[in-house]
Each structure stands twice: as C-alpha cells, then as structure tokens.
Amino acid sequence: MKIFRILFLFIAVQVSAQQGGMWIPSLLQGMNEDEMQSLGSKLSAQDIYDVNNSSLKDAIGHFNGGCTSEVISDKGLILTNHHCGFSQIQSHSSLENDYLKDGFWAKNFKEELPNNSLYIEFIVRIEDVTEQVLEGVTDAMSDREQQSIRGRNSTAIEKAAKKEDWQDTRIKAFYKGNQYFLFVTERYTDIRLVGAPPSSIGKFGSDTDNWVWPRHTGDFALFRIYADKNNRPAAYSEDNVPFTPKHYLPISLDGVSEDDFTLVFGFPGTTDEYLPAAAIAQTVEKINPRAIAIREAALKVIDAHMKADDQIRIQYASKQARIANAWKKWQGENLGIEKSGAIGIKKAQEAEFTKQLKAKGLESKYGNVLPELERLYNEIEEINVKRTSFMEVFLRTNELTPMIFGLAQLEGAAANSEEAFEKQRDANIARMKGVYKNYNAKVDREVFEAVMPLYTDEVDASIYDKTAFTNLESALKVLEGNSSEVVEKLNKDAAYQYIKPFIIAFYTEVEPRFQALNPQINNLEQQYMTALMEVLPEQRYFPDANGTLRVTYGKVKGYEPRDAVYYEPLTYLDGVMEKYIPGDYEFDVPEKLQELYANKDYGQYTDATGKVPVCFLGTNHTTGGNSGSPAIDAYGNLVGLNFDRVWEGTMSDIYYDPEICRNIMVDARYILFIIDKYAGAQHLIDEMSLVRPKSGNTQTKKTKKTKKTKVKK
Ligand code: ARG
Ligand code: GLU
C-alpha cells in the first residue's frame, strides 16, 4: 500500500512537473530547457534569452508597467491587448470620434496618435546579485538592520552596474528575499496609437464573458514606438522616427492544435504560491467576500447609468472595467480553491513538511515557522478585513473619497514644509484634472451611498450638495493660496470634514497594528521558503511573480470544469455569430464582420478546416500583467496574444492546478484577419513577417531580420 502511494505521488509529480511556474529568462538552461523540449519546443534557452545576440526577449516590452507588449515589425509596431490600451483609446475618444465604439486605424505614420505618460520598457540584461546584496547580512541582526544593509548594498550595486546613459537599473527580490536579480532596462516614452478594433470586437462579450471560456474576444490593439535618430528613447517629438528593434516576432499563419507547445513571455505582476493553508482560508472566507460585496454595490450603480447614458458610458468605461475585473476574478478564485481542494492539499503538504523536518533533524531550525505563521495570520485577520474594506470603500469604488484622501496628505505635507506642500499640491492638481475629465457627480454620489454603509453606520451623502470637490473649477479654488490658507479652506469643506475623521481613525487604529504584524509575517514567509527548499528539495520551486520578465510554458489544452462538461481548446468565428445579439451592449457584432462571415471572405486567415480561429486555451501559468504577452510556438513565432484565464483557474495566483488552470489567448490569425479584412489596413500586414512553420516556410513575407548586436557587459 505504501509503495503504491509513493509510486502514485511520483507519477503525479512527473506529470505536473512540466506545467506551471513563471521562470526567470536568464536561468532556463537545464531543467526548463529540458521540460520545454519535452513538450515539443525546438527553442534553446539562448534563443529565448541572450545577452550578446538578439533573442526573443528583445521583442518583449513592459507596457506602462502593468501589461506586456511585443514588437511585431522592424518599424517598432507593437501588439498588446485592447484592454491594456483601453484608457489611451478612451482618452482619444469623444462622442464625435468614438474610437471605443467604432475602432481606430491610422492610415499612415502621420495619423498615429501620441499618448501622454505611456511607456514601453525592455530588459537589456539580468544578473544574479544575491551575494552582493546579502553581503554583511547575518542571522544575528535584527530585521531592520538586515533590511538597511540590503538596501544600502542594492543602491550601491545599481549605481555601479555597467549601463548606457539612457538605461536604468533596478534590483528585485525573488523567492521571498532568498535571491536578488539586477535588471538593466531601456524605457521608450514616445508611444503612439496605431490601431484598435471597435469594442464590439476588442471587448466582445465584455463582463459576461470576462474570465470565461468559451471566449470570442479580439482583445488586441496596435501601438508604435518612436525613437530619436539614434534609435534611443526620447520624449515625444515630431522629429522622432519609428523604432528599430533588436528583434521582432514573426507571426505564424499555421497556428496551433491541441497539445502543441506554447510559451508565454511577459511581465506577470503578483502571485502568492507559497502561502500557508491558513492564509488561503482567510483570503477565501474573509477577504474576497468582503471585497466582492463592496464592488458589487458600486457596479450596480455604475452599470445602470452606463446603460442609460452614452456620455456616462464613455466616461465610466475604464473605471467600470477595472472595478468589474477583480470583482469577477475573486469569485472565480474562490470557486477554484474550493473545487481543487487547495486548502486540503496545502494542509497535507504542510503535514509532510513537518514530518520531514523531524526526519531530517531540522526541527530546531525551522520547527516554529509554520505554527508562528498560523498564529500571526489569525491575529492579523480582523485587521486585514478592515484594511480591505477601507481600500475598497475609500479608494477603489467612488471618486470623492480618494480625492479627499489626497487632500489629507496635502494637509499632512503642509505641516512638514512649504516644499512638501508645493509638491503635494501639484500632485493633487494633476490627479484632479485626470479625475474630473470623466466625472459625474450624480453617479459618484450614488456609488458613495451604495458602498459607505458597508464601512460605517453614519453615512452622510449630503456632503455632495455642499462640497467644492465635485467639479474641477471650485476644487482648484480651494487649492489656491499659501499652505495655511489652503488648510483652513480644506477644513471648512463639508466633504473634507466628514471624510477626514475616517482617514485619521484608519491611520491611528488599523494601520499601526498592520505595520506591527506584517513585517513579522514577511520575515517568516521568507524563512518558510528557505525551509521548504531545504526540507523538500526535490520539488520544483519557481519564484512568485514580481512584475519582472518571466517565461511560462505549456500546451494547448481543453479542460473539464465540471462533471461531464469538457471544453474544447479552440473557438471560431462561428462562435462569435452564435453569441451575436443585435444591438446588445456586450454581444453586438459589427456589420462589416457579419458581411465577411456571410461571404466567407477569410483570406489566408483560416485553419485547415477553412474556419477563422478566434481564441485558444493553454496550460501556461499566467497572471495579471501577462495581458498582452505573446504566445510563442515551438519555433519562436507569435501564434497568439494572452489576455485572460478561465474562471475556475484564476486561483492559479495562489495554487496552480494543471487540471483546471488555463490561460486564454487570441489566435494571431484572428488579429490578422481583423486588421486586414475588417479594417482594410493592409499596410500594417505588409510590415509584419508572416510565416508558415508547419509547412517549413519560415519566410512567407520577408526574411526574418535579427541583427547581431554586441552588448557591453
Ligand atoms: N480579465 C482580463 C484581465 O484580467 C481582461 C480584463 C479586461 N476585460 C474586461 N471585460 N473587463 O485583465
Ligand atoms: N487580463 C489580465 C491582465 O490584465 C491577464 C489575465 C490574468 O490575470 O491572467 O493582465
């Protein structure tokens, strides 16, 4: 019986060994390279990441710090998600030129639209600097001492690192602070909008289909990087020219079939894969339900107004999408944790860990880590719930309270120095200008009325009648004058008077308790990570996502979310038409697309069945931030564009289960089809390299250009 179990465990590990994990691109040689090749990849670790020659990594850019994008032509053409470029598309839109609704296609370079404060950042080089960062740190030191030495070391390393003048350096912690890497980066800031499909394609299915399979969304948009005459980053200028990349991704017309290898290359934001069971239980039972309830209350109000009024629909589009996105994700996360039995599995792993601690004589070293973590998670629970409530009610749903929050910081700065005050005033003014562009006081008041009761019994919405902070003009007036004048005016404002005490109470009663406990938890989590790797060394450990460049890989695969339900991994244009509801705000289909479908005017963008593929599923382990990441085939060509995960699988941020965790990608052929046949933007297709690797043709359009560039070390 026992042997049987061990054997079973071994097989289970073998199968899942090849799935899951977000890996550091500079460390793929060995295990990852082997795993990828066993899944069908023909790529070497160096094809993916190389410092001395161009490699796939040179085509991957961090899009404004929150999404991923990739270069797809030698003229700096950039592909990312529609939802990643959403606020840029929105900011160029008006009732007359409604690019959200109708789409936008620049016919030439001149028509491409510049964007304020949008950047794309590339990784030049990654270096392991663990030893240098930890130099002089000893176990005997207090947390604070250790932290300050690590900080000092990091600053010195960042300063001393070899780089060009226009490049930056940054050190990031991995494995909860057990390893450190230095990143040399290059940031381009002249980024222009090139093309976007209408929302009825780019956001087809909207919230109903968000986080859901089967999916039929053409979630893509095109931008272009401009550089100075030397191809270096430069602020927007008419004289700037299209950027020449070190590498750009060819696009495959052959696509993928079930079981094909795919690799997703991008910038995943945050994951928490090594939480103890107690922490997962807290998230599922306490935190998520709270946050879901607050957002639900806000969404009810916003959705109703957006449906009733086109102006509000445009103004609130971005906000609504942001609020709804996490609201729905948390629900799926809870569902998946329950379905996969993640808490039970973690508990069993913890029992095994504890058993091995004893067996390996490591009890005195690590024996207290898990029990202490559990105790602290218990202690912090109530505080975590309060913090979540505060964040959601005061900072993430309505707009008046975050404004007052910023103004309270302004008052704080005034108490410090005139200089701090001026800086805060500028920041507040800038924020207000952004907020009031898309503000509707009536909607905001109703949101406030809906969410505040979830925080306090003393709700007073009449502040909206009296405050100066429901329009830009009167708000700016309050901010005129010297610091004492401004502070005096602020404290006479009805909204300020009402909201400030809540902020003070939060910062005197809740936050200090959090700040006392949280560093202890972080410290123990670092120890837990160290202990896991020492006690159970045969397991496969990947570092949690931290907004740095990662590689994840897997296969194209369907899944079984419920008993007797199996989902195919590919969807087609036929499915778009099946979902079509004329005039619906989520499922309308543009006339032109209906025509193309009726006439089967598909060009070269079909698969072997003669149909146009739209989306597909894979076992790639992705998270927020991977939006816009390229899905790359076994040969290094772009086959898809990552944009989502399946609902039951969103728990992969906490627990990755290869049975139900799937990422969702738009098929590259759908993107090409829309650009070419729908938008008639043939000139953009001409810029790209279209290839057919499965029929051995890697040069359908143009020779793949990869310049060999020597980079200084
Ligand atoms: N769920 C995807 C992500 O997390 C897409 C979000 C945008 N789409 C939407 N319907 N809100 O970003
Ligand atoms: N849509 C997500 C994003 O914005 C990616 C999907 C996910 O979270 O997996 O990054």
Side-chain angles (χ1 to χ4, degrees):
M1 199 56 207
K2 190 142 186 224
I3 293 176
F4 200 79
R5 251 198 58 207
I6 291 173
L7 211 85
F8 178 75
L9 255 175
F10 181 72
I11 292 167
V13 168
Q14 279 285 301
V15 172
S16 57
Q18 302 179 327
Q19 324 264 345
M22 303 156 166
W23 306 94
I24 304 170
S26 52
L27 301 181
L28 299 173
Q29 249 148 25
M31 183 192 78
N32 295 131
E33 195 178 39
D34 292 347
E35 282 184 357
M36 283 191 270
Q37 290 178 356
S38 79
L39 289 168
S41 170
K42 309 288 178 222
L43 299 164
S44 70
Q46 260 155 334
D47 292 332
I48 298 170
Y49 174 93
D50 199 346
V51 176
N52 299 312
N53 299 294
S54 66
S55 56
L56 291 181
K57 79 125 172 50
D58 296 316
I60 317 297
H62 209 174
F63 187 86
N64 229 17
C67 277
T68 305
S69 58
E70 51 277 354
V71 194
I72 54 168
S73 88
D74 59 358
K75 296 187 188 67
L77 189 61
I78 291 288
L79 178 64
T80 189
N81 288 142
H82 184 265
H83 81 259
C84 294
F86 200 81
S87 63
Q88 282 77 32
I89 303 166
Q90 178 190 29
S91 77
H92 294 296
S93 293
S94 58
L95 281 173
E96 302 77 55
N97 279 321
D98 194 343
Y99 299 143
L100 278 182
K101 187 150 178 274
D102 305 324
F104 168 79
W105 304 96
K107 285 192 278 305
N108 48 50
F109 290 150
K110 276 233 154 62
E111 285 185 10
E112 298 179 355
L113 300 172
N115 297 285
N116 272 329
S117 61
L118 173 63
Y119 67 83
I120 291 177
E121 188 171 88
F122 295 99
I123 303 299
V124 179
R125 191 170 87 231
I126 307 173
E127 268 174 45
D128 187 341
V129 290
T130 310
E131 249 174 67
Q132 297 98 296
V133 171
L134 295 181
E135 198 179 303
V137 176
T138 66
D139 287 344
M141 291 173 178
S142 71
D143 292 350
R144 189 167 291 170
E145 268 177 294
Q146 294 191 19
Q147 201 186 340
S148 98
I149 295 185
R150 285 195 306 261
R152 213 178 321 131
N153 288 347
S154 297
T155 312
I157 301 162
E158 285 167 351
K159 273 213 183 114
K162 275 239 165 66
K163 65 166 192 79
E164 306 289 354
D165 291 342
W166 63 89
Q167 298 173 337
D168 287 310
T169 54
R170 196 178 314 135
I171 290 177
K172 287 267 203 171
F174 288 69
Y175 293 106
K176 311 260 177 216
N178 281 295
Q179 219 173 350
Y180 292 84
F181 285 86
L182 170 80
F183 293 82
V184 178
T185 59
E186 222 164 57
R187 180 181 288 203
Y188 288 82
T189 53
D190 185 353
I191 313 296
R192 305 186 195 170
L193 178 64
V194 173
S199 291
S200 51
I201 292 173
K203 208 186 165 182
F204 182 72
S206 193
D207 288 326
T208 301
D209 270 10
N210 192 22
W211 301 112
V212 165
W213 187 259
R215 194 63 159 275
H216 300 86
T217 314
D219 194 347
F220 79 94
L222 297 167
F223 287 80
R224 190 185 305 281
I225 300 179
Y226 282 77
D228 71 11
K229 292 199 177 66
N230 300 314
N231 205 37
R232 296 200 186 135
Y236 169 82
S237 155
E238 271 193 52
D239 299 334
N240 285 349
V241 293
F243 165 68
T244 308
K246 284 196 213 122
H247 180 66
Y248 67 92
L249 299 176
I251 304 178
S252 168
L253 284 169
D254 284 343
V256 284
S257 335
E258 178 136 31
D259 287 324
D260 277 359
F261 170 81
T262 57
L263 170 165
V264 172
F265 209 170
F267 293 85
T270 335
T271 58
D272 256 310
E273 311 281 350
Y274 303 98
L275 286 178
I280 301 180
Q282 184 174 113
T283 300
V284 171
E285 287 157 22
K286 300 282 154 65
I287 310 287
N288 283 352
R290 189 86 204 144
I292 290 166
I294 294 167
R295 289 198 179 204
E296 191 145 327
L299 284 169
K300 236 191 216 156
V301 174
I302 296 172
D303 287 347
H305 281 286
M306 282 177 72
K307 273 185 207 169
D309 184 327
D310 261 2
Q311 176 78 29
I312 296 177
R313 176 182 57 75
I314 295 177
Q315 284 183 326
Y316 274 71
S318 223
K319 252 178 283 196
Q320 193 276 351
R322 178 184 57 76
I323 297 171
N325 194 40
W327 164 76
K328 192 162 181 188
K329 186 226 158 182
W330 292 323
Q331 297 174 52
E333 188 168 87
N334 275 11
L335 205 74
I337 298 272
E338 198 179 300
K339 186 182 156 51
S340 63
I343 296 177
I345 293 170
K346 284 270 175 176
K347 277 192 181 144
Q349 287 172 352
E350 286 165 17
E352 177 65 17
F353 168 80
T354 308
K355 204 172 110 198
Q356 291 298 327
L357 268 185
K358 286 194 187 126
K360 296 187 173 170
L362 290 164
E363 227 187 347
S364 60
K365 196 169 171 193
Y366 297 122
N368 72 326
V369 174
L370 258 183
E372 262 301 284
L373 259 182
E374 255 164 50
R375 188 186 65 76
L376 282 169
Y377 265 106
N378 246 329
E379 200 178 330
I380 207 172
E381 180 167 290
E382 187 208 331
I383 302 164
N384 277 345
V385 174
K386 280 226 174 91
R387 277 185 105 239
T388 300
S389 305
F390 182 82
M391 303 285 171
E392 292 297 324
V393 168
F394 282 83
L395 299 177
R396 294 184 185 147
T397 41
N398 83 89
E399 304 226 61
L400 181 60
T401 55
M403 201 116 62
I404 301 294
F405 189 86
L407 294 167
Q409 287 174 314
L410 178 65
E411 183 177 351
N416 275 338
S417 72
E418 209 52 36
E419 198 191 334
F421 171 78
E422 287 302 339
K423 229 173 116 187
Q424 268 295 330
R425 170 152 59 189
D426 290 347
N428 270 281
I429 290 174
R431 193 174 322 134
M432 282 173 176
K433 285 185 175 157
V435 169
Y436 287 119
K437 241 191 278 165
N438 293 309
Y439 189 74
N440 181 302
K442 186 170 174 323
V443 178
D444 198 48
R445 178 185 182 142
E446 283 178 39
V447 173
F448 177 91
E449 283 170 337
V451 298
M452 275 305 270
L454 293 164
Y455 193 82
T456 173
D457 294 334
E458 285 142 48
V459 183
D460 180 7
S462 76
I463 56 170
Y464 276 84
D465 298 327
K466 306 171 207 152
T467 180
F469 296 106
T470 46
N471 77 72
L472 184 60
E473 215 175 70
S474 55
L476 289 179
K477 279 224 178 79
V478 180
L479 296 193
E480 278 168 15
N482 65 35
S483 62
S484 54
E485 285 163 357
V486 171
V487 168
E488 201 188 317
K489 280 189 274 179
L490 274 179
N491 281 288
K492 281 190 184 139
D493 185 89
Y496 197 80
Q497 282 175 356
Y498 168 76
I499 293 163
K500 186 174 146 187
F502 288 107
I503 298 174
I504 292 177
F506 178 77
Y507 276 98
T508 51
E509 288 156 28
V510 183
E511 195 59 12
R513 285 161 65 205
F514 177 79
Q515 291 306 340
L517 293 175
N518 197 48
Q520 296 179 51
I521 291 180
N522 288 340
N523 190 314
L524 281 166
E525 284 184 343
Q526 178 187 352
Q527 289 181 46
Y528 184 43
M529 187 85 242
T530 318
L532 276 173
M533 296 206 260
E534 190 173 336
V535 176
L536 304 169
E538 64 286 353
Q539 296 215 0
R540 208 167 152 267
Y541 297 99
F542 56 89
D544 269 321
N546 60 357
T548 61
L549 185 62
R550 301 293 180 88
V551 170
T552 175
Y553 45 84
K555 286 188 169 213
V556 176
K557 266 243 167 291
Y559 78 116
E560 206 183 304
R562 292 180 291 285
D563 182 39
V565 177
Y566 173 74
Y567 282 130
E568 299 284 343
L570 311 169
T571 62
Y572 291 95
L573 191 56
D574 308 68
V576 175
M577 297 311 297
E578 277 172 16
K579 285 181 178 173
Y580 171 41
I581 306 174
D584 186 69
Y585 81 107
E586 296 188 307
F587 292 102
D588 201 10
V589 174
E591 220 166 282
K592 180 77 195 281
L593 188 57
Q594 295 178 45
E595 260 169 47
L596 292 169
Y597 180 73
N599 300 331
K600 293 208 170 7
D601 187 359
Y602 299 154
Q604 55 185 338
Y605 309 113
T606 59
D607 71 0
T609 66
K611 300 192 292 184
V612 178
V614 175
C615 292
F616 63 99
L617 286 180
T619 59
N620 309 289
H621 187 177
T622 54
T623 187
N626 270 124
S627 273
S629 300
I632 293 172
D633 68 5
Y635 313 92
N637 306 304
L638 185 128
V639 282
L641 181 64
N642 184 73
F643 72 104
D644 212 358
R645 278 173 288 169
V646 301
W647 212 33
E648 303 83 355
T650 58
M651 47 111 177
S652 64
D653 290 349
I654 301 174
Y655 177 73
Y656 178 84
D657 178 349
E659 289 298 318
I660 50 175
C661 291
R662 295 289 179 274
N663 70 313
I664 306 179
M665 297 153 277
V666 197
D667 195 298
R669 290 165 296 185
Y670 190 53
I671 295 172
L672 296 172
F673 167 72
I674 295 296
I675 295 173
D676 185 344
K677 292 289 176 175
Y678 177 84
Q682 182 68 47
H683 62 287
L684 294 174
I685 303 281
D686 290 342
E687 263 188 77
M688 307 172 192
S689 282
L690 307 188
V691 296
R692 287 200 178 272
K694 286 188 178 172
S695 25
N697 183 356
T698 52
Q699 301 182 355
T700 303
K701 266 265 154 70
K702 269 185 217 169
T703 324
K704 178 180 155 196
K705 268 186 229 159
T706 45
K707 289 200 188 105
K708 300 266 172 199
T709 35
K710 283 271 174 231
V711 178
K712 294 206 288 204
K713 250 219 139 148

